[in-house]
Amino acid sequence: MDKSQIPSESTSFWRDTLSLPKFRPLDTSIKTDVGIVGGGIVGITAAYLLSKQNIKVTLIDADELLNGTTGHTTAKITAQHGLIYDELIRHMDIENAGLYLKAADEAKQLIEEIIKTHHIDCNYKKEDAFIYTNSDKWLDNLENEYNAYRQLNINSTLSETMPLDIPVKSVLQMKDQAQFHPLKYLLTLIEESCNQDAAYYEHTTAIDIEYNKYPSIVTKEGHRITCKYVICATHFPFYDRDSYYFARMYAERAYVLGIQSRKPYPGGMYINAETPTRSIRSTKWGGSDLWLIGGENHKTGQGKSTLHHYKALQQFAEQNFEMKSCDYRWSAQDLTTLDKLPYIGPIKKSEDAVLVATGFRKWGMTNGTVAAKIISSQIVEQHSDYTALFTPTRFQADPSIRKFAQTNMDVAKHMIQGKLDNTENQLNQLAPDQATVTRINGNRTGVYKDKENQLHVVDTTCTHLGCEVEWNSGERSWDCPCHGSRFSYTGEVIEGPANKSLKQIDPAKLNK
Ligand code: FES
């Protein structure tokens, strides 16, 4: 086998190098203090923090734990969240930019403390973080960000070189950041919280929240988890109640290759300022360095072949890093909010028993830990210094709103165009492991032919709010461009906000 070829299957290195415990589905109605929906870094860290305070926690996940964005991250623990601080100072003020930085720094410290307390062997390593550019157009942006760093007393330098040997014109370095194996870390948090009586259930989908005296999470099977507080840690909140998250966030996919190089890894975590995005770090794999090359971000469900994003990363690795083998590929999805700050806290003023955490803009290791910390404080102490900054009910007038108008125009376009387009072709020429879109009785229909030549046919109308899903060839999934729901080729939900499968259609109908 040619080792430089991109692997045919998408497999996260983190999931592949760890065995996680299995939990049975919830099969009865129960009572608990805090019900958590979503088993990623937010849900599990909140379960850990709350159960340490003797609060009875029950966590459910629609799939398996750590199989969403957290299981597919690049796992940088850093307050360097792209170019953000200059923008925060300009659009808000220095106090709020400082508060955002403080929250990220405290999250970094908390992760480090937890690792020390439980002696977690999770490849934790201090690394400097670098934003670089090789484009004249971005030199001023890096300079402005550096000025913001100095105003915020961030330990940093602006220079023209960095340890990684690729062409650069300017480099902004933030010192003393870190990286780890996120699942090894979170496995300990699961075990520790279970020791404190937390309960975990997998393959248990939340579909609604009902209110009597207390809120109850209602599952697809009709069981209820009655609790004092509900934490929605489902990436995109599964519960909206007129909060319009679908109009306030957009989903982007990003791709990662795990490669080996003929060169040793020089240390450091890198991301460029321009597009296409390139993000680079390494991790230990046996005795070797596995280089994680990420990027190629784009809005979810754009209908192009997603495999070409992996190829672009492969080409980048070959050109710059003397690639010896391409060992892993995987992708992840993340959400960006109206003003780029996460939404963390009560879903709305009148529903303060339901807390959400979403919109981490690809910086989920720190922002997810920030969210778990804030929500735990809001539950235990009824207070957090960060409540106002991250409250989901805020409205910041921000220039990015124009971008959102564009995003929502795209959403509308996908709702309309998806219904009108006419791609009734290729069915006869469909090769194994390919998909196409056709029409049955005028209804837009997705057809995937698997490797055994069996056809899987679904109605392409997303069950969330009715946009039209598009084929993602890299992950063999149907992805919704509007709010990022993803469905397997047989139509089952992989990622919300949708919680209902795509309608399956009998392949025999294709011939009528
Ligand atoms: Fe909202 Fe598809 S995810 S319409």
Side-chain angles (χ1 to χ4, degrees):
M1 200 188 98
D2 180 357
K3 286 192 166 175
S4 66
Q5 288 302 309
I6 298 169
S8 61
E9 299 301 321
S10 165
T11 311
S12 149
F13 170 77
W14 314 122
R15 287 189 61 82
D16 199 39
T17 47
L18 187 77
S19 165
L20 288 162
K22 302 266 172 260
F23 295 94
R24 65 181 174 82
L26 182 70
D27 57 5
T28 183
S29 291
I30 56 169
K31 286 190 178 152
T32 189
D33 290 333
V34 177
I36 301 177
V37 186
I41 189 165
V42 178
I44 292 169
T45 308
Y48 167 83
L49 293 173
L50 290 166
S51 55
K52 267 199 348 183
Q53 305 284 329
N54 294 323
I55 291 172
K56 172 74 188 155
V57 171
T58 301
L59 185 151
I60 62 171
D61 194 286
D63 184 29
E64 294 173 356
L65 298 183
L66 297 169
N67 200 19
T69 301
T70 303
H72 296 82
T73 171
T74 51
K76 296 175 179 173
I77 310 167
T78 177
Q80 190 183 58
H81 294 175
L83 297 174
I84 185 78
Y85 293 102
D86 173 54
E87 186 174 331
L88 291 181
I89 292 171
R90 280 188 292 110
H91 296 168
M92 302 174 90
D93 50 43
I94 184 94
E95 283 73 33
N96 279 303
L99 210 52
Y100 182 87
L101 172 69
K102 186 163 169 260
D105 279 342
E106 286 179 6
K108 270 169 31 199
Q109 277 162 24
L110 178 64
I111 292 171
E112 192 174 338
E113 270 164 37
I114 292 173
I115 290 169
K116 279 194 186 139
T117 305
H118 301 293
H119 309 289
I120 307 175
D121 178 9
C122 60
N123 311 97
Y124 179 80
K125 191 166 174 239
K126 283 268 168 70
E127 292 278 14
D128 293 343
F130 301 84
I131 303 177
Y132 67 88
T133 184
N134 196 31
S135 156
D136 290 335
K137 276 198 253 157
W138 287 86
L139 295 178
D140 286 349
N141 300 66
L142 257 70
E143 177 97 43
N144 294 341
E145 188 74 355
Y146 179 53
N147 288 336
Y149 279 20
R150 288 200 299 191
Q151 289 178 65
L152 294 164
N153 294 321
I154 295 173
N155 188 359
S156 56
T157 60
L158 185 69
S159 70
E160 288 165 9
T161 57
M162 60 185 192
L164 191 68
D165 184 18
I166 51 175
V168 287
K169 293 188 168 162
S170 180
V171 181
L172 179 58
Q173 176 179 19
M174 188 185 274
K175 301 203 173 136
D176 293 331
Q177 309 302 298
Q179 62 180 36
F180 65 168
H181 187 311
L183 270 49
K184 286 185 182 171
Y185 165 77
L186 288 164
L187 172 61
T188 303
L189 271 60
I190 295 169
E191 289 165 351
E192 289 295 325
S193 53
C194 285
N195 292 342
Q196 300 286 337
D197 213 20
Y200 287 81
Y201 298 93
E202 295 179 314
H203 305 290
T204 303
T205 306
I207 56 166
D208 200 4
I209 296 174
E210 279 178 0
Y211 284 89
N212 284 307
K213 188 172 170 204
Y214 293 114
S216 295
I217 302 163
V218 184
T219 71
K220 207 171 187 174
E221 286 69 33
H223 305 306
R224 279 162 178 71
I225 303 169
T226 304
C227 43
K228 296 188 188 106
Y229 292 95
V230 178
I231 301 177
C232 292
T234 47
H235 196 220
F236 198 107
F238 78 98
Y239 174 80
D240 192 84
R241 192 60 67 93
D242 298 335
S243 301
Y244 303 108
Y245 286 99
F246 56 83
R248 299 199 282 147
M249 292 193 289
Y250 65 88
E252 277 195 341
R253 286 206 80 71
Y255 300 82
V256 184
L257 289 183
I259 67 142
Q260 292 183 82
S261 163
R262 292 189 181 81
K263 307 200 271 195
Y265 191 79
M269 307 183 294
Y270 305 86
I271 193 161
N272 62 347
E274 58 268 43
T275 53
T277 308
R278 296 289 178 258
S279 154
I280 304 124
R281 64 158 280 195
S282 78
T283 187
K284 281 287 166 212
W285 186 28
S288 326
D289 291 325
L290 187 73
W291 297 44
L292 305 184
I293 316 291
E296 286 288 302
N297 309 4
H298 67 87
K299 273 177 48 206
T300 299
Q302 294 298 304
K304 295 185 194 129
S305 164
T306 51
L307 279 172
H308 84 261
H309 297 292
Y310 289 113
K311 288 195 183 125
L313 292 178
Q314 181 192 34
Q315 205 176 22
F316 174 71
E318 277 169 346
Q319 275 166 3
N320 293 289
F321 305 132
E322 294 181 28
M323 190 177 89
K324 188 167 75 178
S325 63
C326 186
D327 304 284
Y328 283 93
R329 74 160 169 103
W330 71 89
S331 75
Q333 180 161 300
D334 220 333
L335 296 159
T336 299
T337 68
L338 210 56
D339 56 11
K340 297 194 182 149
L341 299 185
Y343 295 133
I344 303 168
I347 190 164
K348 55 206 294 195
K349 286 199 181 88
S350 56
E351 263 185 78
D352 59 1
V354 178
L355 301 120
V356 296
T358 187
F360 299 150
R361 206 174 56 93
K362 300 198 170 65
W363 301 103
M365 296 300 101
T366 35
N367 276 338
T369 305
V370 165
K373 221 168 146 272
I374 292 175
I375 287 177
S376 303
S377 300
Q378 287 170 336
I379 291 173
V380 177
E381 293 149 30
Q382 300 285 302
H383 171 80
S384 160
D385 290 346
Y386 302 104
T387 297
L389 181 64
F390 292 113
T391 178
T393 56
R394 71 182 179 270
F395 178 80
Q396 296 289 347
D398 180 299
S400 69
I401 286 167
R402 234 183 301 131
K403 182 166 177 199
F404 264 77
Q406 181 62 44
T407 300
N408 283 335
M409 270 164 63
D410 284 359
V411 167
K413 199 174 81 191
H414 271 280
M415 292 182 99
I416 299 160
Q417 188 187 47
K419 302 220 185 273
L420 296 180
D421 72 358
N422 191 4
T423 47
E424 217 168 320
N425 54 24
Q426 301 156 1
L427 243 191
N428 294 337
Q429 298 118 35
L430 202 60
D433 202 23
Q434 268 189 359
T436 189
V437 172
T438 184
R439 283 180 189 270
I440 297 179
N441 296 331
N443 295 327
R444 194 170 180 272
T445 304
V447 183
Y448 169 66
K449 186 187 268 185
D450 69 20
K451 290 178 184 165
E452 277 75 45
N453 286 321
Q454 194 175 339
L455 294 175
H456 303 269
V457 187
V458 293
D459 183 328
T460 54
T461 301
C462 176
T463 56
H464 178 226
L465 291 175
C467 288
E468 294 297 316
V469 296
E470 302 287 355
W471 181 244
N472 173 346
S473 53
E475 312 302 315
R476 298 185 184 90
S477 59
W478 292 103
D479 295 0
C480 182
C482 291
H483 317 110
S485 289
R486 297 182 55 234
F487 304 85
S488 69
Y489 58 76
T490 50
E492 280 99 30
V493 177
I494 301 173
E495 278 187 70
N499 56 27
K500 258 176 68 190
S501 304
L502 294 177
K503 198 167 125 211
Q504 288 188 349
I505 294 171
D506 182 354
K509 293 203 170 147
L510 287 170
N511 303 322
K512 290 190 178 155

